[in-house]
Amino acid sequence: MAYSKQVIDHYENPRNVGSFDKGDSHVGTGVVGAPACGDVMKLQIKVGANDIIEEAKFKTFGCGSAIASSSVATEWLKGKSIQEATQIKNTDIVEHLSLPPVKIHCSVLAEDAIRAAIQDYQKNNADAS
Amino acid sequence: MGHPLPIQKTGDVAYFDYQATTPCDPRVVEKMYPYFYEVFGNPHSRSHIYGWESEAAVEKARKQIGESLGANPKDIVFTSGATESNNMLIKGVAHFYKSNKNHLITTNIEHKCVLESFRDLAGQGFDVTYLPVDDKGLVNLQALREAITDKTCLVSVIAAHNEIGVVQPLAEIGEICRENGVFFHTDAAQALGRIPLDVDRMKIDLMSLSSHKVYGPKGIGAAFVRRKPRVRLKALLHGGDQERGMRSGTLPTPLCVGFGEAAEIAVSEMAQETTRIKSLWDYLYTRLTAELPDVYLNGDKDQRIFNNFNMSFAYVEGESLLMGMKDFAISSGSACTSSSLEPSYVLRALGVGEDMAHTSLRISFGRFTTHDDVKILADKLVSEVKRLRDMSPLWEMAQDGVDLSQVNWAAH
């Protein structure tokens, strides 16, 4: 399978690989996928004042397209408000990375991971207040 | 030994997929040349010298192939390759004997062309038993004995495996089949030139062979069909009754000549080449297991052909690893790079979990692989697995002591 230039770039130079402390109340963590399906993404956001996402990090078990999808997602999340982050669509990722049909599920997973991280952040902060 | 020719590389990509196919050995190509132009007659033309010369070349090749198996050359039938041989033998024998015996036995790790042939027969009303294998990929002989009934016509077991390299106990299987009056077929496409084959000692009645797996040309293979005691089959191709009526069609003389030469070279150099290949295998296995935790060999460690190396690299997805290994032509152990996202049915048959099956690669060595090639491969594999593990949430969880089997994953 031939990969797009963008996928290769993110695979070879993934942005924002790493982890935040899950227990930090500013952090939201989303883990989606399953090892048996060949894809697991962990995506974390660190939220500052005015619900702005200051940082995002990921770790992904999956093919090059899955790694690239989550890498792109973390780049796009930085600087966005929570509200803006929920607007990121898997189709934007498909377009940006030129993913073939067989790899669309990678972008869906990245969108799921963003939503799961936001939900986790909101849940943590609802509990705290 | 060793012909350090540049043919093993395309660009800067080192070839490690010898089980998919092998390059034609230059010594083989040389022998084939005259039969494209100078000696071009139809080997079945009986009335003139053109035909006689081609026929002599084909018969020499048949003898070379027969001798490489300990078989009478008259028992060798040329085909287009192992897929055709497997189809022809399995379906042909099943149909010939179906009025008395309609039970067939095979294993659940056979090559697709064998499994699909049996599936086709099952659809036509034949009773097919698929024997399971153990976690090393070996057939249980007791299970085989118990599966045989008075209706059993044929047992088909792959000799050396294309994906996991396991070599089955052929002589023992042959003995059980002969005792029970059942024909024994083996798909030996990956076995020729890699393990000693002797159809009499192993009591093999039918065998499928491929030329391009042994440094011969593509587009030709052979079937061994025993005449003493005689095995009969219903032909798939009808026509001029060539090849004892089993496989009509004009034989491709240059390809026959190439296959014959390739088989002879492979067997005559086997002892020396096996030692060399095993040292490459041992080197790779030692390095990877010493430098990487949580790596698992698929297939038995000893009962194997050593040009095959199939390993699971836990916590690293196979396709992403292949992408990192872009300077090496290797194959995904899982079928993830094809349109299907299902992991390998062979690894599943060994009891390898789906999660682990997604982390597997198949590497295969051959005649033109050098120790330096394997060293460079090992260096890169170790560094890529480490890089991808640093990126893997599963590796991180495992290092934190999380039992991944207890996590409630959201399947998608």
Side-chain angles (χ1 to χ4, degrees), chain A residues 1 3 7-8 11-12 14 17 19 33-40 42 59-64 67 102-103 105, chain B residues 315-317 319-320 323-324 326 337 339 341 354-355 358-359 384 387-388 390-394 396 409-412:
Chain A
M1 180 177 300
Y3 296 94
V7 169
I8 292 170
Y11 170 81
E12 288 179 348
V17 173
S19 299
C37 304
D39 297 294
V40 176
K42 184 186 81 166
K59 283 201 173 186
T60 290
F61 164 85
C63 65
I67 290 171
V102 71
K103 293 299 178 188
H105 72 277
Chain B
Y315 317 118
V316 174
E317 199 273 333
E319 192 180 329
S320 66
M323 200 171 161
K326 64 180 190 310
T337 44
S339 54
L341 297 174
E354 281 196 43
D355 50 345
H358 278 291
T359 73
E384 274 304 300
R387 181 180 92 93
L388 290 166
D390 285 341
M391 232 192 275
S392 167
L394 304 180
E396 181 181 72
W409 301 104
H412 56 285

Side-chain angles (χ1 to χ4, degrees), chain B residues 339-360:
Chain B
S339 54
S340 148
L341 297 174
E342 288 292 305
S344 151
Y345 66 92
V346 174
L347 295 184
R348 207 163 24 181
L350 265 60
V352 175
E354 281 196 43
D355 50 345
M356 202 57 91
H358 278 291
T359 73
S360 309

Side-chain angles (χ1 to χ4, degrees), chain B residues 299-313:
Chain B
D300 195 85
K301 191 165 178 283
D302 305 306
Q303 300 298 312
R304 63 159 46 254
I305 45 173
F306 288 91
N307 60 321
N308 167 285
F309 190 96
N310 187 318
M311 186 168 258
S312 296
F313 300 87

